[in-house]
Amino acid sequence: MSDAAGTPPPPPGAQPSLAAAAAKGSAWATAQGLVNKAVTALAMFVIARLLDTEQYGVAAQALAIGQFLVVMTPLSMGDVLIAHPRRFAALAPTARRVTLLVALATAGVILCSLPLVTRVYSSYPAGWLAGLLALLALRPIIEASIVVPLSAMRLGLHYRSIALIDGGVQLCATLASVTAAALGGGAAALVAPQVANAGARAVLYARSAGPQPRRRFHRVAAAALLRAYFAVASAQYAHNLLVMLEVLVLGYVSGDEQTGIFGFAFMLATQANGIISVQLSTVLQPIFGRLQHDRVRQTAGFVRAVRVLGAAIVPVSLVQAVMGGPLFRLALPEKWLPAIPVFAVLSVMQGFYFGNNPTMSLLKAQRRFRLYFTWQFLQLVAAVPAYWYGASRGGALGVAIASMSVWATGVPIAVWMGIRPGGGTLRDALLIFGRPWASALPVAAAAWFATGWLAGFGPTGDVTSLVFVTPAAIGISLWALRFTDREAAAEIGRGLGSVLGRLRRK
């Protein structure tokens, strides 16, 4: 692996098949994701007992503002490099310098904006908000040093090393957050470990990637890279702003308590989807890039991957929405109970959002950056008035409902646009979402009635819901999928069989 950054990836014939590489990469990414998402979810419940809703709100607001101010996300340069795998060694040194210069300028913008930010969000403690943002100003600079080694490892399909680094660092960051909250760190317990996380990843990626290309800086290449970087980063910024817009609007309209409720519910609701979809997107993008001249194979692979992803995510998301009430009542103090309906709506939203990250990876691999930007920008235009109206009428719950509406409309349309060049139709896109919903929704409705009845028995009923109703609902949903999407059901069955077989051998 020592030459991963210094040479372009070997030709496909010198490697295992791309399907095998994708499967292996997804397995490693998912394995570390499972462990870390479980630990993160548990840690969030612990931190919720240690922090007030207002402290959680300040941290969520600082993270949202920090993301809002980072217009040129450093890691977007990695997408540019991955889209040109054969020219990686020649472009990497110039890309490194361009990214660092942009990151330094971004850090300066964040620091200069502190007086204005504390004035706009005057209901928040100015010292805490400014201090957290000053700390977050370091993250773009750190991420700029990550771009080249991480891109080299992704192009080399070194997913095992990436998974081990990401998993180990994230686990340490999660434990650090819990420790800091227990020691009275307040909102900083949720922010400082994230900056430290980026620093640790930068060091470990550089060591794993080995010697990096050190050719001369080329002005012509820099101009071309900057144009492509701006196109990708603009689309990524629109997406990041869209994801953070709920908190930005809610914090301005409704204050820190509603922001804290939403931020906590959002963090928990996205764990199940994040286990697979984000990690799968990281694996798929370089593989889709190698198929950019064979749109039919590229589209077929994408549709297959997203169908299986939806078949797994939709049942889990709908059952998760139902089980929020029993879980929150058992594990959290009363101050967090208003987050139950917010968590339920955001969990239902994941039944549409799962297609977002793979579609972003597909469009980047196709170099359709203009379409990627247009999609995110139009969603953003629709979201601003919807979120504002939701926040003013219903606080955190109103914003959650508006967010679900935006993603439930935008993602299926984007999937359709992504598969059109390879012969995909609108019907193909709608079936990706319709099939798992058709099998999972009736089961989730039955589970909702069951948990409502069991809630009348107090904590004993809630425990019964979590221990018995949850696994039964997920299992029945996956079984029912055989009648709506037999192929996806078979894929999930083979995957589970492979995992169980390995466990038996061990």
Side-chain angles (χ1 to χ4, degrees):
M1 191 185 304
S2 62
D3 62 342
T7 60
Q15 296 180 323
S17 70
L18 294 183
K24 188 175 181 180
S26 298
W28 276 104
T30 302
Q32 73 88 6
L34 282 168
V35 174
N36 273 291
K37 294 301 182 182
V39 173
T40 299
L42 179 61
M44 288 301 102
F45 280 102
V46 175
I47 290 173
R49 290 185 168 273
L50 298 171
L51 300 183
D52 296 330
T53 54
E54 292 81 3
Q55 292 174 312
Y56 210 104
V58 172
Q61 194 66 57
L63 291 167
I65 295 171
Q67 195 156 338
F68 171 75
L69 294 173
V70 180
V71 178
M72 299 282 281
T73 309
L75 295 179
S76 293
M77 181 62 86
D79 295 325
V80 176
L81 291 174
I82 289 172
H84 299 84
R86 299 186 183 279
R87 299 177 60 199
F88 172 77
L91 295 175
T94 303
R96 183 189 304 113
R97 186 176 300 185
V98 169
T99 309
L100 179 59
L101 291 174
V102 173
L104 289 170
T106 300
V109 169
I110 294 175
L111 294 176
C112 291
S113 70
L114 295 182
L116 177 61
V117 168
T118 54
R119 184 174 180 179
V120 170
Y121 291 94
S122 57
S123 63
Y124 291 79
W128 272 102
L129 192 57
L132 295 176
L133 284 171
L135 184 61
L136 287 170
L138 297 173
R139 190 158 66 175
I141 301 173
I142 297 171
E143 288 182 347
S145 65
I146 289 177
V147 169
V148 171
L150 177 57
S151 299
M153 295 174 72
R154 290 176 64 190
L155 282 171
L157 307 182
H158 299 305
Y159 296 119
R160 179 178 181 273
S161 297
I162 295 173
L164 290 174
I165 290 171
D166 287 354
V169 171
Q170 183 57 47
L171 180 61
C172 292
T174 301
L175 297 176
S177 289
V178 175
T179 302
L183 294 175
L190 296 173
V191 176
Q194 293 202 27
V195 178
N197 179 337
R201 288 169 60 219
V203 172
L204 294 173
Y205 286 149
R207 290 182 178 178
S208 296
Q212 300 176 21
R214 297 190 178 279
R215 301 182 184 179
R216 294 180 59 187
F217 177 83
H218 295 283
R219 292 181 180 272
V220 176
L225 281 170
L226 192 58
R227 286 194 297 270
Y229 178 30
F230 180 77
V232 179
S234 297
Q236 187 63 47
Y237 177 69
H239 172 71
N240 292 345
L241 182 56
L242 183 61
V243 172
M244 289 292 132
L245 187 64
E246 298 120 327
V247 173
L248 291 171
V249 172
L250 194 58
Y252 185 81
V253 175
S254 304
D256 52 4
E257 182 178 357
Q258 289 295 306
T259 304
I261 289 171
F262 182 91
F264 177 69
F266 182 87
M267 180 70 72
L268 287 175
T270 56
Q271 295 302 309
N273 189 7
I275 290 173
I276 304 174
S277 63
V278 176
Q279 302 295 340
L280 181 64
S281 303
T282 302
V283 172
L284 289 178
Q285 187 180 339
I287 292 174
F288 285 153
R290 296 184 184 200
L291 297 173
Q292 60 187 251
H293 300 298
D294 190 347
R295 291 291 173 86
V296 175
R297 282 183 64 200
Q298 188 185 64
T299 297
F302 170 80
V303 170
R304 180 182 178 185
V306 180
R307 278 177 63 187
V308 176
L309 179 63
I313 289 295
V314 171
V316 172
S317 298
L318 295 185
V319 174
Q320 174 180 285
V322 173
M323 296 304 160
L327 183 61
F328 279 42
R329 287 192 293 269
L330 287 171
L332 293 174
E334 188 176 352
K335 64 184 178 182
W336 290 106
L337 294 186
I340 293 175
V342 181
F343 173 81
V345 173
L346 292 175
S347 295
V348 172
M349 182 187 76
Q350 299 304 305
F352 298 98
Y353 186 81
F354 72 86
N356 180 75
N357 291 305
T359 305
M360 288 167 57
S361 294
L362 178 66
L363 295 179
K364 291 175 185 177
Q366 293 173 340
R367 302 183 191 175
R368 299 169 73 190
F369 302 131
R370 183 175 298 177
L371 175 60
Y372 176 31
F373 174 78
T374 302
W375 163 36
Q376 299 296 333
F377 179 76
L378 290 178
Q379 283 195 122
L380 185 62
V381 170
V384 171
Y387 292 176
W388 200 281
Y389 180 81
S392 61
R393 292 288 182 173
L397 180 59
V399 170
I401 294 172
S403 181
M404 180 181 66
S405 303
V406 168
W407 292 108
T409 304
V411 176
I413 293 174
V415 170
W416 172 47
M417 297 301 294
I419 64 178
R420 284 185 66 190
T425 65
L426 178 60
R427 180 177 181 273
D428 295 329
L430 294 178
L431 285 176
I432 289 173
F433 299 89
R435 284 169 168 158
W437 268 86
S439 60
L441 185 58
V443 180
W448 182 74
F449 282 110
T451 55
W453 177 71
L454 288 168
F457 296 93
T460 302
D462 288 337
V463 171
T464 303
S465 294
L466 295 174
V467 175
F468 295 103
V469 178
T470 299
I474 293 175
I476 295 172
S477 296
L478 294 176
W479 174 81
L481 187 69
R482 297 167 55 196
F483 302 99
T484 58
D485 194 344
R486 185 176 295 275
E487 183 180 342
E491 288 278 355
I492 293 175
R494 283 193 292 269
L496 291 175
S498 176
V499 171
L500 292 174
R502 292 185 180 184
L503 290 175
R504 289 194 193 100
R505 287 195 294 270
K506 292 183 179 181

